[in-house]
Amino acid sequence: MIKAKTLKQGDSIGIITPSAAAPVKFKARYNRGLNQLRKMGFHIIEGKCSNKSQAYRSSTIKERSEEINELIYNKKVKAIISTIGGANSNSLLPYIDYEHLKKDPKIFMGYSDVTALLLGIYAKTGLTTFYGPAIVPSFGEFPELLPKGKEYFENVVQLNRRAPYTIEIPEYWTEEMIDWSTQDREKQMVQNDGWKCLKPGSATGRIIGGNLNTMSGFIASDYFPSVKDSILFIEDSFKDMATQERSLSMLKVAGVFDEIKGLIVGKHEHFDDLNSPFTIEDLLLEILGDTNIPIITNVDIGHTFPSHVFPIGIGIELDASNGCITFLEDAVME
């Protein structure tokens, strides 16, 4: 496994837009996100697709791939963070210079559709990548990045906490949607019900995962890492029960549930149960069948806020019986 160096104040962060054209559509929020990082002491190097828009995507596959590689080649850049997700980051997987990234490891962070890049890079290089905040939805929050979101970011990539440590359950969370173009108040936070044990037990392994819907675009390819003996985490956003049955069954038929040692399921932003006479947890157990692994659900990772940063590839312990997730190693090097 390869690890990048700790992110320090004064370092340069490269900004990529590998899918949706959020910087153009939500310019004020994008700029607020960049300014948030500047206030935290970082320099910003914007990728060339940050000012481009082609309907559902920022630019061509060629230009989006070049944007990433140009920041990989830039020796000043210590971290690369995505502006947002979208639907088509998987298009870029064949064109990233993985060999150069192995020689000059950088922190690579994003979530949602950026799952394709995070897992693809990890599969091809062994470099720990980071399922964490993106510029527009997270760093660009109104009026600023949530304090807990900032804390979780700094804990992992700036080594404000050293492993081993058990990550906390935030006291409050939100999935409230406010139009980004007109937002003039903070989102309403609600009491967190906590993390739920769906199947008891404990296990240790490498943590691997991301957005469940995105996985369908590259699962079983050379860009999808081995999950054998790992702890898998999955999360999703704005999906319904029928879609979740399809996606979870995709993992089942691909043999994923037979190889992993434990499962972490994140909070699902605005889930539609389609008036089903069963819960999403019931559905998951139905699909798993007699697979007996520890499972914890309702975890704060992904599309709800605040969300933890999960470093893909590090060793963790999942204690589902007690609702605990412990990072067993640091994700970056000093």
Side-chain angles (χ1 to χ4, degrees):
M1 187 166 65
I2 303 172
K3 296 179 181 180
K5 290 183 178 179
T6 306
L7 190 63
K8 299 177 180 177
Q9 289 192 349
D11 284 345
S12 293
I13 296 176
I15 308 299
I16 60 170
T17 307
S19 193
V24 173
K25 187 174 182 180
F26 304 106
K27 189 70 174 178
R29 194 174 179 104
Y30 171 64
N31 286 330
R32 188 164 58 243
L34 298 186
N35 287 332
Q36 172 69 58
L37 286 171
R38 292 186 181 107
K39 285 191 295 183
M40 293 167 65
F42 304 114
H43 299 295
I44 299 299
I45 299 176
E46 294 181 74
K48 66 182 182 181
C49 294
S50 62
N51 63 352
K52 298 180 183 294
S53 178
Q54 291 186 340
Y56 64 90
R57 64 185 191 175
S58 61
S59 190
T60 64
I61 293 172
K62 182 176 184 292
E63 284 195 319
R64 286 180 286 150
S65 303
E66 288 174 347
E67 177 185 58
I68 294 174
N69 285 333
E70 285 167 6
L71 293 173
I72 288 175
Y73 300 148
N74 190 327
K75 293 182 179 180
K76 293 181 180 179
V77 172
K78 303 303 180 184
I80 297 174
I81 300 179
S82 177
T83 56
I84 202 167
N88 304 105
S89 292
N90 63 334
S91 301
L92 314 183
L93 289 172
Y95 308 109
I96 296 171
D97 192 336
Y98 299 104
E99 290 303 313
H100 194 94
L101 195 53
K102 283 196 286 188
K103 297 173 187 175
D104 183 17
K106 304 176 190 291
I107 291 167
F108 205 105
M109 180 178 290
Y111 74 104
S112 194
D113 181 63
V114 182
T115 295
L117 300 176
L118 301 178
L119 292 184
I121 289 170
Y122 176 70
K124 287 294 186 179
T125 68
L127 174 65
T128 295
T129 54
F130 298 83
Y131 202 82
I135 303 301
V136 173
S138 310
F139 290 102
E141 183 56 85
F142 184 91
E144 61 183 358
L145 174 66
L146 290 179
K148 281 296 179 183
K150 180 174 180 288
E151 177 184 328
Y152 299 156
F153 172 83
E154 293 173 338
N155 283 349
V156 172
V157 300
Q158 295 185 258
L159 286 185
N160 278 15
R161 293 198 70 181
R162 301 301 301 264
Y165 68 93
T166 299
I167 62 175
E168 70 172 20
I169 300 173
E171 186 176 359
Y172 299 98
W173 72 287
T174 186
E175 64 173 348
E176 184 180 15
M177 295 296 297
I178 303 177
D179 189 328
W180 285 349
S181 300
T182 59
Q183 185 177 358
D184 60 359
R185 64 169 177 84
E186 296 182 28
K187 291 180 178 179
Q188 183 178 356
M189 307 293 287
V190 297
Q191 189 79 34
N192 200 342
D193 292 335
W195 303 346
K196 303 174 183 177
C197 174
L198 188 60
K199 272 198 170 187
S202 63
T204 59
R206 295 169 299 117
I207 186 167
I208 294 176
N211 180 255
L212 179 57
N213 182 62
T214 301
M215 291 178 185
S216 65
F218 67 109
I219 195 170
S221 74
D222 290 340
Y223 304 100
F224 199 90
S226 168
V227 296
K228 186 171 179 57
D229 295 331
S230 71
I231 308 295
L232 179 71
F233 75 92
I234 54 175
E235 63 86 32
D236 226 325
S237 171
F238 281 92
K239 301 300 182 296
D240 58 36
M241 193 74 84
T243 302
Q244 288 302 95
E245 178 171 341
R246 180 181 63 187
S247 296
L248 291 169
S249 294
M250 171 191 69
L251 298 182
K252 174 70 172 181
V253 300
V256 168
F257 292 138
D258 297 325
E259 294 193 313
I260 62 175
K261 296 172 68 176
L263 179 63
I264 297 169
V265 182
K267 285 181 168 66
H268 191 126
E269 180 189 28
H270 292 280
F271 178 64
D272 182 356
D273 67 6
L274 299 177
N275 296 316
S276 303
F278 48 86
T279 67
I280 185 65
E281 287 84 4
D282 293 333
L283 176 64
L284 176 57
L285 291 175
E286 179 183 358
I287 291 169
L288 283 168
D290 58 2
T291 302
N292 189 26
I293 55 174
I295 304 173
I296 190 172
T297 67
N298 205 44
V299 173
D300 296 271
I301 178 68
H303 285 82
T304 61
F305 301 97
S307 280
H308 279 283
V309 177
F310 276 11
I312 293 168
I314 69 163
I316 73 161
E317 178 183 31
L318 169 62
D319 182 353
S321 300
N322 293 299
C324 295
I325 299 170
T326 301
F327 290 174
L328 299 177
E329 60 180 302
D330 295 329
V332 291
M333 300 187 304
E334 285 189 286

